Amino acid sequence: MDRELISTSKFLSLVLRHQPATIGISLDDEGWAEIDVLLAAANRSGRTLTRPLLERVVHENDKQRFAISSDGKRIRARQGHSVEVDLGLQSVQPPELLYHGTVAKFLDSIRASGLVRGSRQYVHLSPDVETARKVGQRRGRPVILIVESGRMWRDGRTFYQAENGVWLTESVPAEYLRFE
Ligand code: HQG
């Protein structure tokens, strides 16, 4: 992705996951924003944003972070929200193991409390080690934790998979984590 796309992706992540009010818009219950309203509000707040640029960000995004509605009028983030939204995700059985990328400084706390969602709606888990490594790398030298998701599922815990492959769950108690 080029610089303009990355910067616009970050801007859209902020507005569509965390702080729609920073540009004076709101999301509906399912996390959608009207594209016309979003474009006008973004430009009013000093960010040059056009429909073609928005579409490039959606389609060329490395992690498929955003979705445009089938009628082409609305946009939302596929996961990562801190605002309460109903993404309409169905509970699905996870693979036996999932992965979480983090950094060493969080390990003592994770050993004590498990993985917690913090300000986000869910704890985010990766389907493979490589993806988890990239997630951890955002914060420094990555540490990969193995999550016994199959056992969690059999114990009655709920999992969702976002449309872009990220796994979501409310929390991961430490007893389901392997620190290797
Ligand atoms: C850590 C990005 C202390 C956790 C990524 C993580 C992902 C704890 C940080 C998505 C803890 C939260 C989410 C505990 C968890 N004590 N630290 N008990 N439990 N943590 O950003 O999973 O590029 O909210 O290990 O790729 O890093 O934005 O979550 O380091 O998919 O699309 O607290 O965000 O996607 O950090 O990342 P985050 P995350 P995007």
Side-chain angles (χ1 to χ4, degrees):
M1 277 203 295
D2 65 31
R3 233 197 247 158
E4 187 182 35
L5 288 190
I6 292 172
S7 157
T8 306
S9 172
K10 288 191 170 164
F11 170 76
L12 289 175
S13 289
L14 175 74
V15 169
L16 296 175
R17 290 169 168 177
H18 308 299
Q19 290 176 27
T22 55
I23 58 163
I25 67 164
S26 52
L27 310 180
D28 74 9
D29 294 346
E30 297 173 352
W32 295 105
E34 294 287 336
I35 292 176
D36 288 347
V37 173
L38 169 69
L39 293 178
N43 285 291
R44 251 198 324 271
S45 73
R47 173 166 281 267
T48 307
L49 188 57
T50 59
R51 173 102 199 190
L53 175 57
L54 187 92
E55 289 190 0
R56 277 189 65 210
V57 172
V58 173
H59 296 124
E60 295 176 30
N61 198 263
D62 56 348
K63 285 159 91 179
Q64 294 295 304
R65 290 182 178 86
F66 311 104
I68 289 179
S69 60
S70 50
D71 64 4
K73 291 187 174 155
R74 297 172 302 159
I75 183 170
R76 75 175 176 185
R78 293 189 198 269
Q79 35 70 220
H81 298 81
S82 57
V83 293
E84 281 297 312
V85 295
D86 179 2
L87 295 172
L89 298 173
Q90 301 296 315
S91 158
V92 271
Q93 181 171 0
E96 203 49 35
L97 298 177
L98 288 169
Y99 304 88
H100 181 80
T102 187
V103 283
K105 67 176 177 190
F106 293 146
L107 289 180
D108 284 348
S109 170
I110 293 174
R111 276 199 183 88
S113 337
L115 294 175
V116 297
R117 63 200 184 106
S119 60
R120 300 203 196 240
Q121 254 187 318
Y122 299 102
V123 169
H124 287 226
L125 303 174
S126 305
D128 54 76
V129 175
E130 203 33 56
T131 309
R133 185 164 291 130
K134 285 189 194 140
V135 174
Q137 235 156 24
R138 290 151 56 234
R139 300 174 192 284
R141 205 170 89 79
V143 174
I144 313 297
L145 306 181
I146 299 174
V147 178
E148 295 182 355
S149 40
R151 199 157 66 80
M152 285 178 70
W153 167 263
R154 288 189 289 282
D155 289 347
R157 293 177 180 270
T158 306
F159 285 80
Y160 306 95
Q161 195 173 25
E163 292 157 346
N164 60 353
V166 173
W167 284 89
L168 305 168
T169 193
E170 304 273 333
S171 65
V172 181
E175 56 171 302
Y176 298 104
L177 291 170
R178 292 187 207 156
F179 298 83
E180 286 174 0

